[in-house]
Amino acid sequence: MVAWTGPAARAPAADFIVDADGRAVLPGFVDSHAHLVFAGERSAEFAARMAGRPYQAGGILTTVAATRAATDIALRANLRRLAAEMLRQGTTTFECKSGYGLTVVDERRALVLAAEVTPEVTFLGAHVVPPEFAGDVPGYVDLVCGPMLDACAPHARWVDVFCEDGAFGADEAAAVLAAGRAAGLAPRVHANQLRPGPGVRVAAEAGAASADHCTFLTDADIDVLTSTPVVATLLPGAEFGTRQPFPDARRLLDAGATVALATDCNPGSSFTSSMPFCIALAVRDMRMTTQEAVWAATAGGAAALRRADVGHLGVGAKADLILLDAPSHAYLAYRPGVPQIAAVWQVGRLVAGSPPSSP
Ligand SMILES: [Zn+2]
């Protein structure tokens, strides 16, 4: 835990000293949106899209088929590889969703695996409608709100829904979130990613912690995000990976919204686990200042997960921190693509990299 902060000359005695030697120390990144329980990969789909084919949400079903066919051992190995990759890049807290199982058994399995690596586990049975329910969205929503939720709720903290044309409409999304709340889960929403829609409003009405994507917002959506506690979580990796327009972070910040940055790490639209990469995109392409982007990637992510103990280095915070191999936070955007995380501590314990030798 962080016990004291202030000038080095006035530091209390300590058992162990690390001299950062002029380098920047930041809170560990808080990645509040990631889809890490899956099998397979979709690099061919990405390459085709970059060659000019538009993104369609249907690609998710490719991953659903691979995930259902995978063993627990294979899913766990992929999940742990990604979690370790995140840690090396300075992410000390992350959220992890289900959503590639879409059966009672496969969604429950995804959540049990996710809970092995993070307490921030999200039930996303309402990701897309699986092929066996094609043409019967109400039937699938009944499954999600009934037997699937019963099996999944004990293993999750959050409930999420993909509220978008081609996925779930406003009434269906509201039903999923209400059922999740009744089962003790707190809502969050995939909202307004591909076009304007009801997602942000649905999130606010459900008391969601966060509306994620927020790429296409009306003035009314902005009003909702500034007049309610809903955090606007921006996922620029998805716009990078689908060549969509980036969300207008400047408009949100100038209006007074709370903004978080997260990776949306998933094998289809955004296969990056790098918060520094998202910070660089936010600064370069979304007109966030370097300070705003780093805040959104730390304290903003903590707000989106309703966590007061991470995302900052105030007294009482968990001692989750990163040492940059650079003199300032600005280098995260100033030197994009360059590994700059020299060391990572989680609850005061060195978990990645190596600090300068102690004096
Ligand atoms: Zn997502």
Side-chain angles (χ1 to χ4, degrees):
M1 203 164 77
V2 177
W4 180 89
T5 58
R10 279 190 244 145
D15 297 336
F16 185 73
I17 296 170
V18 175
D19 184 351
D21 196 23
R23 286 176 282 189
V25 173
L26 301 175
F29 299 124
V30 180
D31 186 349
S32 61
H33 187 134
H35 307 248
L36 306 178
V37 187
F38 65 86
E41 58 89 83
R42 282 152 56 192
S43 60
E45 178 187 312
F46 172 80
R49 191 164 61 232
M50 289 300 107
R53 199 180 75 202
Y55 173 68
Q56 286 165 348
I60 292 171
L61 294 177
T62 310
T63 300
V64 170
T67 304
R68 287 176 175 178
T71 63
D72 290 6
I73 290 169
L75 288 178
R76 181 182 288 116
N78 193 48
L79 172 62
R80 296 205 164 192
R81 178 179 64 83
L82 291 167
E85 187 179 280
M86 286 174 144
L87 196 62
R88 286 197 302 276
Q89 297 173 98
T91 299
T92 49
T93 301
F94 62 90
E95 183 253 24
C96 182
K97 304 175 194 296
S98 67
Y100 294 120
L102 311 184
T103 67
V104 173
V105 168
D106 289 302
E107 284 296 296
R108 180 184 176 281
R109 170 168 82 144
L111 297 174
V112 168
L113 289 167
E116 293 178 2
V117 295
T118 180
E120 303 298 343
V121 173
T122 300
F123 169 49
L124 181 58
H127 195 188
V128 288
V129 177
E132 59 273 21
F133 279 89
D136 183 18
V137 181
Y140 185 63
V141 171
D142 285 348
L143 176 69
V144 169
C145 296
M148 194 184 283
L149 179 64
D150 291 343
C152 288
H155 306 285
R157 178 178 180 211
W158 303 97
V159 59
D160 194 348
V161 58
F162 189 17
C163 183
E164 197 83 40
D165 283 357
F168 299 90
D171 292 347
E172 294 149 356
V176 169
L177 299 176
R181 278 184 74 143
L185 306 182
R188 41 202 324 108
V189 179
H190 281 69
N192 302 61
Q193 177 186 3
L194 303 175
R195 57 193 65 82
V200 166
R201 176 176 56 79
V202 167
E205 288 171 359
S210 177
D212 296 36
H213 285 291
C214 290
T215 309
F216 292 92
L217 299 180
T218 63
D219 289 344
D221 293 327
I222 299 277
D223 287 346
V224 166
L225 290 167
T226 53
S227 62
T228 66
V230 181
V231 174
T233 299
L234 309 182
L235 310 169
E239 278 76 36
F240 179 90
T242 59
R243 207 174 267 145
Q244 295 276 330
F246 286 97
D248 192 343
R250 199 65 266 148
R251 181 177 171 216
L252 281 162
L253 289 163
D254 289 347
T258 302
V259 172
L261 280 173
T263 62
D264 196 18
C265 183
N266 77 82
S269 55
S270 180
F271 201 14
T272 181
S273 55
S274 170
M275 291 296 278
F277 175 65
C278 294
I279 289 169
L281 290 179
V283 171
R284 165 62 176 77
D285 289 311
M286 290 152 59
R287 301 186 186 282
M288 292 174 77
T289 67
T290 57
Q291 291 95 333
E292 286 167 343
V294 171
W295 190 93
T298 52
L305 293 174
R306 294 186 173 152
R307 292 277 299 267
D309 59 332
V310 296
H312 68 100
L313 293 179
V315 171
K318 276 174 78 179
D320 289 353
L321 45 101
I322 56 182
L323 174 70
L324 299 188
D325 202 3
S328 145
H329 74 278
Y331 275 59
L332 291 167
Y334 174 47
R335 303 202 65 210
V338 177
Q340 296 181 89
I341 310 298
V344 182
W345 288 264
Q346 216 167 17
V347 262
R349 199 168 60 84
L350 182 70
V351 290
S354 54
S357 51
S358 306

